[in-house]
Amino acid sequence: MAAYAYNNNQSNNLAVYPHSFVDYGSPENANFSVVSHRPVAAINPNFIPQNHVLVPYSPPVFLVPSFAFPLNQSVLIQMDEERSLSLVQLMANEGLVPSTEEEEKRRNVIQKLKQIVLAWVKKVAWQRRLPKEQIAETHATILTYGSYGLGVHGSESDIDALCLGPCFATMAEDFFIVLLNMLKSRPEVAEIHCVKDAKVPLMRFKFDGILVDLPYARLNILSVPEDVDVLNPFFSRDIDETSWKSLSGVRANKRILQLVPDLEKFQSVLRCIKLWAKRRGVYGNLHGFLGGIHLAILVAYVCQNYPNGSLNALVANFFKTFAFWPWPTPVVLQDPMFPDAGYPSETRSLMPIRLPSSPHEYCHSNITRSTFYKIRTEFLRGHNSTRDLLRPDFDWHFLFEPFPYSKKYMRFVKVYLSASSQDELGDWVGWVKSRFRSLIIKLEEVQGLCDPNPTEYIDTDVAEPNIVFYWGLQPGRTNLLDIEAVEKDFLKNIHNGYQGCPGQMELSIVQASQLSKSAHFDPASEKRIKAYWKIPEYNLHRIPVYSQHLPHYFVGYVQANGDSKYPSAGG
């Protein structure tokens, strides 16, 4: 029996959750039924009810097979709990959950960064000759997002942290010079680089051995409170475009955490789905697949629609939902901030997913025809793998089995990238990967569907530092592929706008029998290098920079060929 509560603002706006987990009209589900049992998980303390509207009560559900003889409900509950525990144990065995010591280390990194940023903003305020009282009261802060912000990071995950500063702290001078020099002086900081030419400019460095990505957003206020609410329009009013882009990840993360009814279940399911996507070769935005924010919203959608589902039911329903999703219909979370607002048509993406923090913004996507086909194929495989979760011989390992590239494809495009040093290789690989979408589209034009395996390999037979990708080509197509013409076209693309010393890029066609031994390794065991690209900091031609607001006050150096102007960032 459904129970509803009165909503004093939107009394006619009821968010109705589905009552059942199984579509009985579907032939493949004819051998399943639904049972319910007591709630077993804690409710998300950050959960915001849908405009204070109570939804129809739906008891916890999970998928069970029908037997020729009746089973006691307690037996079914025990079967479901044991299967869920086996999945939790698999995640632990895979190292997806960091240890207590690793968690404490990350918390210390964030706390130290907050202290550095606070000292930085007071230094900048002093350079601006602000009154002493205002300097004492001015603040800046650090907010985390990405996998760490969502609580689904692993033991080797990096930290995505956003630096939020007041209106007088510019990106060009204060962030990329003053704060950069302060970080360089810290003994905990190593391998620091500036990524100024990205859509979201940032600094990338290691802090106590943990990789940190630190973009910057400048708010139109004199002091940023530590507990700033980035979803409050007051704090995002009249900010520049670059700051808005930097804020989008934090805003989306915070809203997702507020909209999922059970945080612990959401995190567990997202960890599972991310592992599945990496093992099956459909994780990585730069390769045209799904990124972390895409998967987070898809999992949150399932959690919203099945708030009382067990861990088994949520994983199974994730695949069932998106195996048959009517793309390009957008995936939109139920959000009382935008009731009945609808959404603008999104014609640029094959798989549109709306950001939960804005009714007009969608997740950036590089999905092409080839990767769209691969993602949908893997959704369907996942659905077929999880329909019989409670059968006695069910094994979670089949769902997470690595994609067999060398068995699936007979021919591959080999993408070989090299540079004279490991540091230059990282810059070069990051830049080329940011242009991969154009290469995938070109291969689709001349060859048909291709499968851009995101796994990075190393050719150990070559002395120079290198990274190799092997992209599967659609079987059955003609072998007449002018790879030299494709290579020439792509070289023009990657050499246009690259700052620094370019490395080598070669394309070739190889047969499956010609793959190097490393290409047959399990992708799950591959220790991926997070590539980056930066403005190179050579010792030559550096220009000292003095404060625009405090004459003769030295703030740092910039390169002679570097662009210190960031109009969109207010610098």
Side-chain angles (χ1 to χ4, degrees), residues 193-215:
H193 304 286
C194 294
V195 187
K196 298 181 181 179
D197 52 350
K199 292 181 179 179
V200 177
L202 54 84
M203 283 189 279
R204 178 169 291 156
F205 51 91
K206 286 186 176 180
F207 199 106
D208 281 338
I210 298 176
L211 187 63
V212 178
D213 279 355
L214 186 69

mmCIF file of all heavy atoms in Angstrom, residues 193-215:
data_model
loop_
_atom_site.group_PDB
_atom_site.id
_atom_site.type_symbol
_atom_site.label_atom_id
_atom_site.label_comp_id
_atom_site.label_asym_id
_atom_site.label_seq_id
_atom_site.Cartn_x
_atom_site.Cartn_y
_atom_site.Cartn_z
ATOM 1 N N HIS A 193 53.645 20.320 -12.117
ATOM 2 C CA HIS A 193 53.526 20.796 -13.499
ATOM 3 C C HIS A 193 52.297 21.680 -13.615
ATOM 4 O O HIS A 193 51.308 21.506 -12.893
ATOM 5 C CB HIS A 193 53.393 19.624 -14.481
ATOM 6 C CG HIS A 193 54.513 18.634 -14.402
ATOM 7 N ND1 HIS A 193 55.762 18.893 -14.894
ATOM 8 C CD2 HIS A 193 54.562 17.384 -13.867
ATOM 9 C CE1 HIS A 193 56.547 17.840 -14.682
ATOM 10 N NE2 HIS A 193 55.838 16.920 -14.058
ATOM 11 N N CYS A 194 52.372 22.622 -14.539
ATOM 12 C CA CYS A 194 51.228 23.489 -14.828
ATOM 13 C C CYS A 194 50.567 23.053 -16.124
ATOM 14 O O CYS A 194 51.242 22.902 -17.143
ATOM 15 C CB CYS A 194 51.669 24.952 -14.949
ATOM 16 S SG CYS A 194 52.279 25.656 -13.417
ATOM 17 N N VAL A 195 49.270 22.840 -16.088
ATOM 18 C CA VAL A 195 48.503 22.467 -17.275
ATOM 19 C C VAL A 195 47.621 23.667 -17.620
ATOM 20 O O VAL A 195 46.460 23.731 -17.234
ATOM 21 C CB VAL A 195 47.656 21.202 -17.020
ATOM 22 C CG1 VAL A 195 46.987 20.735 -18.319
ATOM 23 C CG2 VAL A 195 48.520 20.093 -16.443
ATOM 24 N N LYS A 196 48.192 24.622 -18.326
ATOM 25 C CA LYS A 196 47.501 25.884 -18.583
ATOM 26 C C LYS A 196 46.627 25.844 -19.822
ATOM 27 O O LYS A 196 45.733 26.672 -19.966
ATOM 28 C CB LYS A 196 48.515 27.017 -18.725
ATOM 29 C CG LYS A 196 49.354 27.268 -17.492
ATOM 30 C CD LYS A 196 50.323 28.434 -17.722
ATOM 31 C CE LYS A 196 51.183 28.687 -16.500
ATOM 32 N NZ LYS A 196 52.130 29.802 -16.729
ATOM 33 N N ASP A 197 46.894 24.924 -20.732
ATOM 34 C CA ASP A 197 46.208 24.932 -22.017
ATOM 35 C C ASP A 197 45.036 23.963 -22.066
ATOM 36 O O ASP A 197 44.489 23.692 -23.129
ATOM 37 C CB ASP A 197 47.182 24.617 -23.157
ATOM 38 C CG ASP A 197 47.970 23.336 -22.910
ATOM 39 O OD1 ASP A 197 47.899 22.811 -21.781
ATOM 40 O OD2 ASP A 197 48.663 22.875 -23.827
ATOM 41 N N ALA A 198 44.618 23.427 -20.937
ATOM 42 C CA ALA A 198 43.471 22.515 -20.900
ATOM 43 C C ALA A 198 42.171 23.304 -20.771
ATOM 44 O O ALA A 198 42.174 24.509 -20.477
ATOM 45 C CB ALA A 198 43.613 21.534 -19.737
ATOM 46 N N LYS A 199 41.045 22.635 -20.999
ATOM 47 C CA LYS A 199 39.750 23.288 -20.827
ATOM 48 C C LYS A 199 39.566 23.750 -19.388
ATOM 49 O O LYS A 199 38.940 24.768 -19.123
ATOM 50 C CB LYS A 199 38.621 22.342 -21.231
ATOM 51 C CG LYS A 199 38.582 22.035 -22.710
ATOM 52 C CD LYS A 199 37.430 21.101 -23.054
ATOM 53 C CE LYS A 199 37.403 20.820 -24.552
ATOM 54 N NZ LYS A 199 36.303 19.894 -24.926
ATOM 55 N N VAL A 200 40.101 22.958 -18.466
ATOM 56 C CA VAL A 200 40.119 23.341 -17.049
ATOM 57 C C VAL A 200 41.587 23.440 -16.641
ATOM 58 O O VAL A 200 42.219 22.435 -16.319
ATOM 59 C CB VAL A 200 39.374 22.312 -16.176
ATOM 60 C CG1 VAL A 200 39.468 22.696 -14.710
ATOM 61 C CG2 VAL A 200 37.921 22.202 -16.603
ATOM 62 N N PRO A 201 42.188 24.632 -16.660
ATOM 63 C CA PRO A 201 43.597 24.781 -16.265
ATOM 64 C C PRO A 201 43.820 24.310 -14.831
ATOM 65 O O PRO A 201 42.976 24.506 -13.952
ATOM 66 C CB PRO A 201 43.838 26.293 -16.403
ATOM 67 C CG PRO A 201 42.777 26.775 -17.339
ATOM 68 C CD PRO A 201 41.582 25.913 -17.074
ATOM 69 N N LEU A 202 44.977 23.683 -14.605
ATOM 70 C CA LEU A 202 45.239 23.148 -13.271
ATOM 71 C C LEU A 202 46.731 22.955 -13.045
ATOM 72 O O LEU A 202 47.537 23.049 -13.965
ATOM 73 C CB LEU A 202 44.497 21.823 -13.062
ATOM 74 C CG LEU A 202 44.698 20.698 -14.088
ATOM 75 C CD1 LEU A 202 45.956 19.878 -13.801
ATOM 76 C CD2 LEU A 202 43.499 19.769 -14.124
ATOM 77 N N MET A 203 47.068 22.700 -11.788
ATOM 78 C CA MET A 203 48.401 22.251 -11.413
ATOM 79 C C MET A 203 48.306 20.784 -11.043
ATOM 80 O O MET A 203 47.339 20.362 -10.417
ATOM 81 C CB MET A 203 48.949 23.057 -10.234
ATOM 82 C CG MET A 203 49.439 24.443 -10.609
ATOM 83 S SD MET A 203 50.321 25.259 -9.244
ATOM 84 C CE MET A 203 48.934 25.877 -8.280
ATOM 85 N N ARG A 204 49.309 20.038 -11.441
ATOM 86 C CA ARG A 204 49.361 18.603 -11.120
ATOM 87 C C ARG A 204 50.675 18.323 -10.406
ATOM 88 O O ARG A 204 51.744 18.712 -10.876
ATOM 89 C CB ARG A 204 49.235 17.761 -12.379
ATOM 90 C CG ARG A 204 49.327 16.260 -12.157
ATOM 91 C CD ARG A 204 48.916 15.507 -13.402
ATOM 92 N NE ARG A 204 47.488 15.671 -13.640
ATOM 93 C CZ ARG A 204 46.919 15.536 -14.838
ATOM 94 N NH1 ARG A 204 47.658 15.271 -15.904
ATOM 95 N NH2 ARG A 204 45.619 15.679 -14.962
ATOM 96 N N PHE A 205 50.595 17.659 -9.265
ATOM 97 C CA PHE A 205 51.802 17.400 -8.485
ATOM 98 C C PHE A 205 51.564 16.214 -7.559
ATOM 99 O O PHE A 205 50.426 15.748 -7.384
ATOM 100 C CB PHE A 205 52.181 18.631 -7.650
ATOM 101 C CG PHE A 205 51.053 19.182 -6.818
ATOM 102 C CD1 PHE A 205 50.844 18.754 -5.518
ATOM 103 C CD2 PHE A 205 50.200 20.154 -7.333
ATOM 104 C CE1 PHE A 205 49.803 19.259 -4.753
ATOM 105 C CE2 PHE A 205 49.158 20.668 -6.581
ATOM 106 C CZ PHE A 205 48.953 20.223 -5.291
ATOM 107 N N LYS A 206 52.633 15.749 -6.965
ATOM 108 C CA LYS A 206 52.543 14.702 -5.954
ATOM 109 C C LYS A 206 52.767 15.335 -4.584
ATOM 110 O O LYS A 206 53.730 16.073 -4.381
ATOM 111 C CB LYS A 206 53.566 13.591 -6.202
ATOM 112 C CG LYS A 206 53.216 12.692 -7.370
ATOM 113 C CD LYS A 206 54.185 11.521 -7.498
ATOM 114 C CE LYS A 206 53.766 10.575 -8.615
ATOM 115 N NZ LYS A 206 54.699 9.426 -8.752
ATOM 116 N N PHE A 207 51.862 15.034 -3.658
ATOM 117 C CA PHE A 207 51.952 15.534 -2.297
ATOM 118 C C PHE A 207 52.044 14.325 -1.372
ATOM 119 O O PHE A 207 51.103 13.538 -1.276
ATOM 120 C CB PHE A 207 50.722 16.376 -1.943
ATOM 121 C CG PHE A 207 50.917 17.294 -0.772
ATOM 122 C CD1 PHE A 207 51.060 18.660 -0.941
ATOM 123 C CD2 PHE A 207 50.962 16.792 0.518
ATOM 124 C CE1 PHE A 207 51.240 19.504 0.135
ATOM 125 C CE2 PHE A 207 51.149 17.609 1.608
ATOM 126 C CZ PHE A 207 51.289 18.978 1.418
ATOM 127 N N ASP A 208 53.192 14.169 -0.730
ATOM 128 C CA ASP A 208 53.440 12.974 0.093
ATOM 129 C C ASP A 208 53.218 11.699 -0.720
ATOM 130 O O ASP A 208 52.705 10.696 -0.211
ATOM 131 C CB ASP A 208 52.551 12.968 1.337
ATOM 132 C CG ASP A 208 53.075 13.891 2.432
ATOM 133 O OD1 ASP A 208 54.285 14.187 2.405
ATOM 134 O OD2 ASP A 208 52.275 14.316 3.277
ATOM 135 N N GLY A 209 53.589 11.750 -1.996
ATOM 136 C CA GLY A 209 53.487 10.580 -2.863
ATOM 137 C C GLY A 209 52.143 10.366 -3.511
ATOM 138 O O GLY A 209 51.991 9.453 -4.323
ATOM 139 N N ILE A 210 51.143 11.189 -3.192
ATOM 140 C CA ILE A 210 49.803 11.048 -3.766
ATOM 141 C C ILE A 210 49.619 12.090 -4.865
ATOM 142 O O ILE A 210 49.857 13.288 -4.652
ATOM 143 C CB ILE A 210 48.715 11.224 -2.691
ATOM 144 C CG1 ILE A 210 48.856 10.131 -1.628
ATOM 145 C CG2 ILE A 210 47.329 11.181 -3.306
ATOM 146 C CD1 ILE A 210 47.888 10.267 -0.470
ATOM 147 N N LEU A 211 49.196 11.641 -6.044
ATOM 148 C CA LEU A 211 48.995 12.553 -7.170
ATOM 149 C C LEU A 211 47.776 13.427 -6.921
ATOM 150 O O LEU A 211 46.698 12.943 -6.565
ATOM 151 C CB LEU A 211 48.817 11.758 -8.459
ATOM 152 C CG LEU A 211 48.751 12.573 -9.757
ATOM 153 C CD1 LEU A 211 50.060 13.319 -9.997
ATOM 154 C CD2 LEU A 211 48.440 11.665 -10.947
ATOM 155 N N VAL A 212 47.936 14.740 -7.124
ATOM 156 C CA VAL A 212 46.866 15.702 -6.897
ATOM 157 C C VAL A 212 46.661 16.541 -8.156
ATOM 158 O O VAL A 212 47.623 17.044 -8.738
ATOM 159 C CB VAL A 212 47.192 16.635 -5.709
ATOM 160 C CG1 VAL A 212 46.087 17.674 -5.523
ATOM 161 C CG2 VAL A 212 47.392 15.842 -4.432
ATOM 162 N N ASP A 213 45.423 16.665 -8.592
ATOM 163 C CA ASP A 213 45.037 17.596 -9.655
ATOM 164 C C ASP A 213 44.355 18.781 -8.981
ATOM 165 O O ASP A 213 43.353 18.612 -8.286
ATOM 166 C CB ASP A 213 44.079 16.940 -10.650
ATOM 167 C CG ASP A 213 44.811 16.089 -11.673
ATOM 168 O OD1 ASP A 213 46.058 16.100 -11.656
ATOM 169 O OD2 ASP A 213 44.152 15.414 -12.473
ATOM 170 N N LEU A 214 44.883 19.992 -9.201
ATOM 171 C CA LEU A 214 44.393 21.172 -8.496
ATOM 172 C C LEU A 214 44.023 22.280 -9.482
ATOM 173 O O LEU A 214 44.869 23.083 -9.859
ATOM 174 C CB LEU A 214 45.436 21.679 -7.504
ATOM 175 C CG LEU A 214 45.023 22.831 -6.587
ATOM 176 C CD1 LEU A 214 43.980 22.351 -5.583
ATOM 177 C CD2 LEU A 214 46.236 23.418 -5.864
ATOM 178 N N PRO A 215 42.768 22.351 -9.927
ATOM 179 C CA PRO A 215 42.301 23.502 -10.713
ATOM 180 C C PRO A 215 41.932 24.657 -9.781
ATOM 181 O O PRO A 215 41.992 24.522 -8.560
ATOM 182 C CB PRO A 215 41.072 22.958 -11.439
ATOM 183 C CG PRO A 215 40.550 21.891 -10.533
ATOM 184 C CD PRO A 215 41.744 21.301 -9.819
#
